[in-house]
Amino acid sequence: MRDVYQSFQELSQCERAGIDYEIECVIRRREIVVLAIHGGTMEIGTEEVAEKIAEKLNATVYVFKTLKTENPFELHVTSANYDEEMARHLVKKSAA
């Protein structure tokens, strides 16, 4: 399946935050960031695993959650193209 959107920036211009998707972030230790960018109805269980890992490590967790129940994969953005600003900032500030 080919992505409908080639980046988060493109997705955010067409989809509605709070209706089609939401982003949740809990800041803990900034040197460790756990990302789940295919959470919610897209890849069920992804966000729960990320949250448990982050909690166990006292790490920051960032989750992009698809809220759509019909065709949730329409909001899929390939990981290498995921360019949401907060996620990029968290990764940049984490330990390499």
Side-chain angles (χ1 to χ4, degrees):
M1 180 174 157
R2 188 178 173 138
D3 287 348
V4 173
Y5 303 109
Q6 299 309 303
S7 67
F8 174 81
Q9 295 306 317
E10 188 179 317
L11 179 151
S12 68
Q13 292 174 13
C14 300
E15 304 292 339
R16 301 162 295 175
I19 296 172
D20 300 320
Y21 71 91
E22 66 184 13
I23 295 172
E24 293 181 357
C25 184
V26 176
I27 306 290
R28 295 187 186 100
R29 289 176 39 204
R30 290 183 180 265
E31 64 270 17
I32 303 172
V33 179
V34 180
L35 301 172
I37 61 169
H38 299 137
T41 57
M42 189 182 312
E43 293 179 3
I44 296 174
T46 301
E47 69 186 88
E48 292 84 359
V49 170
E51 288 168 350
K52 288 290 185 189
I53 291 169
E55 185 179 310
K56 189 85 165 167
L57 298 174
N58 194 34
T60 294
V61 63
Y62 171 99
V63 180
F64 172 87
K65 296 170 64 171
T66 302
L67 302 176
K68 288 185 171 187
T69 55
E70 199 169 310
N71 301 318
F73 279 93
E74 288 180 352
L75 274 66
H76 183 274
V77 173
T78 298
S79 300
N81 298 334
Y82 190 80
D83 60 349
E84 194 276 326
E85 194 61 38
M86 182 180 3
R88 290 172 51 95
H89 177 75
L90 290 170
V91 170
K92 186 177 180 180
K93 294 296 182 184
S94 68

